[in-house]
Amino acid sequence: MSRRVVALVAVLLLAGCTGTAGSPPAPVPSTPDTRVGGLNNTDVMFLQMILPHHRQGVELAGLGHAKAGRAELVELAAAIEVTQEDEVELMAGILAGSGAPESAPAPAGGEDPHAAHGGLPGTSEQQVTALRESTGAEFERRFLNTMMAHQGDAIQLAKMEAASGAYQRLVDLARRIEQSRTAQIEQMQKLLDATPR
């Protein structure tokens, strides 16, 4: 999954999420676009992609908070849930204040607006259902594997924003996201290693 996200980020940076079929790639501007409240294309794209990703992360963390057995995992899931709720509120406010839409406009056919360049793979409904239905050590293994992949995708989006974003508050947030999710993944890997088989 992470390779897909890396490829997606590379394509998005080349296309600027604004190109059409047959047209040359439009570079992502390095200066703010005043039409969207001081955000450049990367800032807007980052917000449009990471907000639904974060909201799903809140849902997943809520499952971990409610269903995990080990206190350390319950506490980690609760911390992720609260942190991402706060980040969603902040980022949704920035996007709304910029005047940019919350999601990229869908093409005429009604497909996912990012489908042309791979989309951002979320956790599937089947994976969420499997999490809801599992218990004990099986739940903890599923949760940790799912959440590590999910947070890995957030790191890739954060790196894109840190490298090419123009809005300093978002760039700073992206750097914090990269650092915190990296630490979370390390902690989750230790918990996974200690989970009974």
Side-chain angles (χ1 to χ4, degrees), residues 9 17 42 61 75 81 103 127 147 178 191-192 194:
V9 168
C17 211
T42 299
E75 290 168 11
E81 188 177 12
S103 58
Q127 288 173 295
M147 204 69 196
E178 181 182 354
L191 287 166
L192 182 61

Side-chain angles (χ1 to χ4, degrees), residues 18-131:
T18 59
T20 57
S23 65
V28 175
S30 58
T31 56
D33 179 346
T34 55
R35 291 173 299 169
V36 287
L39 307 185
N40 71 2
N41 285 351
T42 299
D43 296 323
V44 172
M45 187 193 324
F46 171 69
L47 290 169
Q48 289 174 339
M49 295 180 78
I50 204 161
L51 276 166
H53 185 268
H54 258 45
R55 288 178 178 127
Q56 186 177 52
V58 169
E59 177 188 6
L60 295 172
L63 287 173
H65 182 196
K67 295 187 63 173
R70 286 178 286 175
E72 188 177 0
L73 183 49
V74 170
E75 290 168 11
L76 175 61
I80 292 171
E81 188 177 12
V82 170
T83 298
Q84 293 199 186
E85 284 173 341
D86 290 345
E87 290 170 351
V88 164
E89 184 177 352
L90 170 64
M91 292 188 291
I94 291 171
L95 188 58
S98 75
E102 186 161 318
S103 58
E111 302 91 353
D112 177 344
H114 292 117
H117 38 68
L120 177 65
T123 303
S124 71
E125 198 52 51
Q126 291 83 359
Q127 288 173 295
V128 175
T129 299
L131 269 177

Side-chain angles (χ1 to χ4, degrees), residues 106-187:
E111 302 91 353
D112 177 344
H114 292 117
H117 38 68
L120 177 65
T123 303
S124 71
E125 198 52 51
Q126 291 83 359
Q127 288 173 295
V128 175
T129 299
L131 269 177
R132 289 186 189 282
E133 294 176 352
S134 59
T135 58
E138 180 193 354
F139 169 79
E140 291 194 357
R141 280 194 304 275
R142 283 182 184 274
F143 173 77
L144 288 164
N145 280 310
T146 301
M147 204 69 196
M148 283 191 290
H150 194 83
Q151 300 300 63
D153 290 345
I155 289 170
Q156 298 306 318
L157 287 175
K159 285 180 176 179
M160 174 191 74
E161 171 62 21
S164 301
Y167 191 67
Q168 193 60 47
R169 193 174 183 192
L170 275 182
V171 170
D172 292 343
L173 175 61
R175 290 181 178 135
R176 290 196 303 273
I177 287 172
E178 181 182 354
Q179 291 172 352
S180 69
R181 277 33 168 202
T182 299
Q184 288 170 9
I185 289 170
E186 290 172 1
Q187 187 176 357

